[in-house]
């Protein structure tokens, strides 16, 4: 069972930047595409971005395309989400998970997430 620990969230003003990290335990990290998801208060959890196992392919939700960049460091079992030009609507708890690239659906258990709050 892979365990996921997200970090890097915080409070930032509109237009600011944050870099989230997700570190996975377990030997199978490099076998999976990894993704970031987010859940805003009162809303369902939604897909944000995904990256293939090698890092060669990426996929983004339309709402973050051009502002967010996903990357991964397989030797460190870590996936990152660089978030630029943040907007108040990006406020949410952000989670990482293994993801089925074709469907954007999460595959494993959730970690505790990291809170991102963007003030207007």
């Amino acid at each position: 069972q892979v365990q996921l620990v997200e970090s890097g969230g915080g409070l930032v003003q509109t237009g600011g930047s944050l870099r989230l990290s997700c570190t996975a335990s377990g030997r199978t990290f490099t076998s999976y595409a990894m993704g970031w998801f987010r859940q805003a208060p009162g809303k369902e959890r939604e897909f944000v971005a995904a990256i293939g196992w090698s890092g060669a392919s990426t996929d983004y939700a339309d709402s973050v395309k051009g502002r967010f960049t996903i990357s991964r460091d397989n030797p460190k079992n870590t996936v990152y989400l660089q978030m630029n030009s943040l907007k108040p609507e990006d406020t949410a708890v952000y989670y990482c998970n293994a993801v089925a690239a074709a469907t954007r659906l999460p595959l494993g258990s959730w970690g505790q997430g990291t809170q991102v709050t963007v003030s207007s």
Side-chain angles (χ1 to χ4, degrees):
Q1 182 73 15
V2 176
Q3 292 186 324
L4 303 166
V5 179
E6 300 92 344
S7 62
L11 174 64
V12 65
Q13 292 184 334
T14 297
S17 298
L18 284 173
R19 188 193 194 203
L20 307 184
S21 300
C22 169
T23 301
S25 64
R27 297 174 296 174
T28 59
F29 175 81
T30 56
S31 301
Y32 293 95
M34 294 295 296
W36 284 95
F37 299 79
R38 67 186 181 186
Q39 187 167 21
K43 295 186 177 181
E44 293 188 353
R45 192 151 18 198
E46 65 176 359
F47 170 82
V48 174
I51 186 166
W53 67 270
S54 71
S57 62
T58 56
D59 181 28
Y60 297 93
D62 287 344
S63 59
V64 307
K65 201 171 294 183
R67 299 187 298 120
F68 291 9
T69 302
I70 189 170
S71 60
R72 67 189 295 165
D73 186 337
N74 284 342
K76 294 183 178 180
N77 277 10
T78 300
V79 61
Y80 304 98
L81 186 68
Q82 177 66 45
M83 305 187 297
N84 299 328
S85 302
L86 283 161
K87 304 175 181 180
E89 51 263 45
D90 295 318
T91 295
V93 179
Y94 283 70
Y95 304 85
C96 69
N97 208 330
V99 62
T103 62
R104 296 178 166 180
L105 293 176
L107 296 175
S109 300
W110 297 104
Q112 85 288 349
T114 186
Q115 175 72 48
V116 171
T117 303
V118 184
S119 63
S120 57

